Structure formats: structure tokens, C-alpha cells
Amino acid sequence: MTASPNDDAPVTPPAATDTSVVDPAPRPHATAEEVEAARKDTKLAQVLYHDWEAETYDDKWSISYDERCIDYARGRFDAVAGDQPLPYERALELGCGTGFFLLNLMQGGVAKTGSVTDLSPGMVKVALRNAESLGLPVDGRVADAETIPYEDNTFDLVVGHAVLHHIPDVEKSLREVLRVLKPGGRFVFAGEPTTVGNFYARWLGRATWEATTRVTKLPFLADWRRPQEELDESSRAAALEAVVDIHTFDPTDLENMAKSAGADQVHAATEEFAAALLGWPVRTFEAAVPPEKLGWGWGRFAFGGWKTLSWVDEKVLRHVVPRGFFYNVMITGVKPGN
């Protein structure tokens, strides 16, 4: 049965190790004092930042649950895992956010049933709401990725997108992933920042934000400027984001970490070099200007440009550019046995 939280109650999903536990309710806004405290407590920062972002996250990152993002999610899975017998019977998404990766993979035929976990109650709430609206059989828990609240040998597949770089002890989390996988089960994590890629992406993002917010102070561009309170809130969210983004990865080091955790058949792949050079300024610009100023033509440019440059990355640049220079790294591995 699909879980269906209401708008006000905390999420109380049905399939955890201890079903008597009531998950905490989301906290959608952080005060300046809480942000300051979170600088010294990374897990508090994770909760505050992702609760803050939960209700607007899909819009911010142009996430959808249609053919566009189904193809994207399935493409990431296939790019690192290769051909697999599908569907997997039961899958878990770690650090689910709004459910983007697992829900689109389920729609793409990768898994029949799913479970979602995240440290943020707000994200779990939105992920379960998205699953319900899509009619997908998904349950969920508010959970720390270093202590996954499911029994040994529960899942056939564990996935995650842009989650490992938020986890303080990545190898400990991978050991937990292997614990809850059945023997022969597979994990696939995508969307993790490489060390080199993160450097140029952050630089491009900061430069775009600074240029856009300065230029829109000019009187004749005033209607292109978001209200100052929105810009201030975005700045506070960015301060939290700097705290929650803990790691970047060298692809070889990430492979070695997965092997050290006990995984077999470990393989990492990278993507988005030219596409990231366009994507980060585009996303930052979208966050800095009123959304009504960006119509269908802008969306077509942004998505079309990203697709074209992704093709260039895949067909040309991956043959000549070292894999560590690409922005995203993906990793897969298998639990020994069977």
C-alpha cells in the first residue's frame, strides 16, 4: 500500500524495524540562531537545510516525474550499472530528498516496490506525497544513513542521488547499505560531486549570483530582481548548504572506499563536464530572478543546452578529458553472495 501522510502530521511509515516509532515533524524555516548553531553540528544542518528546501526543492532543481526525468534517472542507472535483469523486487532510496531518483526509477521499470529514507522529515513527507500522487507502492522513514532502520538482507537494490557527499562517515554508511541488501543485491549512487568539478561549479555559481544580484539593482532592471527578503533567505539557505555539503570525491578513492566497505564488482563512472559549465550558471540565475520572467523559451534553452552538451560529454569529451574533471561521479557495487 502506498504511504499517504497528511499535511500536518509527522510521517509514521509502516515498514521500519520498529514500527512503533513516530518520526519527527518537518521544520520548514530555520532562524539565524539555528543556522549559526548548525555550523557546529552537521546533522542538525542537514535537517534544517533540507526541511527548509523540501516544499520548493522540485521546482528549484526542475525535478519532475514524467518522461524527461524518468529517462534521466534510468540513464544514470544504466550508465554505471549496465544491463541488469529488471525489475528488482524491492528497492531502498537512501537520502531520498523528494523521491526523485527512486520514484523515477520505479516508473522506468527498475523496481516494483520501494522504501525511502532521509534525515529530513520534510523531505520524507514530500517523497511519500509524490509517491502517493504517482500511485507507487512506497513506504518511508526519517533515518540516519549511518544507521539504516531496516533488517539485514531486506532489499534487492539500494539507490541514492546526491546523498553520499552529505554523510559524515561514507564508508560506515556503505557498510549499512551492504547489511540491508540481500546477498547478490546491488547499490547504485549517482549525482555525487567530484573534487575538481565541485571547485569550478561553486566558482561559477558564486560569480553568477554576484553578477545577477548586482545588475538587477539597476533601476531599469528592478522588475528582474526578486524581493530582498527572498534573496536574504536564499543567502541563509546557501550558508547552510555550505555546511551540509561535506565531501567531494575522486572517482578512484570512492571505488576504494566501496571495496573497503565490503562490496564486490565495484565500478565508478563520471559525467557532465561541458554540461556542468552551462548548468550551474543557469540554475543560479534561475534562483536569483523572479520565476515569471523565465518562460517556455528559457526552459527550452536550458534543457536543450544541457542535453546537447551532455551528448558532447558522452560522445567526445569522455574520451579525452580525465574522468576526475567531470562534475558528477556514480558508483555501483554488489553484496557478496549468490
Side-chain angles (χ1 to χ4, degrees):
M1 179 180 294
T2 305
S4 54
N6 62 42
D7 288 338
D8 299 313
V11 178
T12 313
T17 301
D18 180 1
T19 56
S20 66
V21 175
V22 176
D23 289 331
R27 302 171 61 193
H29 295 286
T31 65
E33 292 76 17
E34 288 173 325
V35 171
E36 187 59 33
R39 294 180 188 278
K40 300 175 183 178
D41 184 342
T42 183
K43 292 188 178 181
L44 172 61
Q46 301 289 349
V47 174
L48 294 179
Y49 174 73
H50 290 100
D51 271 9
W52 197 338
E53 294 276 280
E55 296 291 342
T56 58
Y57 195 79
D58 284 349
D59 287 339
K60 175 181 178 180
W61 294 102
S62 299
I63 290 171
S64 62
Y65 301 89
D66 54 16
E67 184 177 356
R68 177 176 64 91
C69 281
I70 293 170
D71 289 347
Y72 176 86
R74 181 64 190 270
R76 309 290 72 71
F77 182 90
D78 292 344
V80 68
D83 292 333
Q84 299 295 323
L86 300 176
Y88 288 85
E89 190 65 34
R90 188 178 182 193
L92 167 71
E93 183 170 12
L94 204 65
C96 63
T98 58
F100 154 73
F101 202 41
L102 179 59
L103 302 187
N104 281 313
L105 287 175
M106 290 176 69
Q107 292 189 102
V110 171
K112 292 182 180 179
T113 63
S115 300
V116 293
T117 63
D118 200 291
L119 197 60
S120 160
M123 287 296 191
V124 174
K125 176 182 176 180
V126 174
L128 290 173
R129 189 172 69 210
N130 286 337
E132 181 182 37
S133 71
L134 294 167
L136 296 174
V138 174
D139 64 72
R141 284 303 309 267
V142 175
D144 189 327
E146 295 175 6
T147 53
I148 301 172
Y150 290 91
E151 301 288 351
D152 297 359
N153 307 318
T154 297
F155 297 99
D156 305 284
L157 174 69
V158 175
V159 301
H161 190 276
V163 58
L164 296 181
H165 69 286
H166 293 313
I167 301 171
D169 192 333
V170 176
E171 186 172 325
K172 181 178 180 180
S173 179
L174 290 173
R175 291 183 186 278
E176 277 287 278
V177 166
L178 292 170
R179 178 185 66 78
V180 300
L181 276 172
K182 296 176 183 178
R186 178 175 294 275
F187 64 80
V188 171
F189 291 97
E192 301 298 338
T194 65
T195 300
V196 174
N198 184 71
F199 173 79
Y200 62 70
R202 295 296 181 187
W203 185 88
L204 284 168
R206 286 193 297 269
T208 303
W209 179 266
E210 182 69 17
T212 304
T213 54
R214 282 181 178 272
V215 167
T216 53
K217 287 181 179 179
L218 297 172
F220 61 91
L221 290 175
D223 60 344
W224 279 82
R225 184 176 179 85
R226 283 183 185 257
Q228 189 60 45
E229 58 270 20
E230 291 185 16
L231 295 175
D232 291 343
E233 182 158 337
S234 292
S235 295
R236 290 201 302 274
L240 273 177
E241 187 174 17
V243 178
V244 302
D245 290 347
I246 303 173
H247 306 290
T248 59
F249 300 100
D250 173 83
T252 300
D253 290 345
L254 186 56
E255 287 173 332
N256 290 336
M257 193 181 303
K259 292 174 184 175
S260 179
D264 285 346
Q265 303 177 41
V266 173
H267 168 64
T270 56
E271 61 176 358
E272 290 197 25
F273 179 62
L277 297 178
L278 172 69
W280 275 93
V282 163
R283 292 172 188 140
T284 306
F285 180 74
E286 290 171 346
V289 302
E292 62 271 14
K293 290 292 185 181
L294 305 174
W296 179 82
W298 171 266
R300 183 178 180 184
F301 154 73
F303 183 59
W306 177 84
K307 283 193 70 174
T308 299
L309 292 177
S310 294
W311 183 91
V312 173
D313 287 336
E314 172 62 22
K315 301 300 182 182
V316 180
L317 296 182
R318 76 180 182 91
H319 299 292
V320 295
V321 176
R323 69 175 184 167
F325 281 62
F326 286 72
Y327 177 71
N328 281 325
V329 59
M330 305 172 283
I331 185 83
T332 191
V334 170
K335 181 173 181 174
N338 284 7

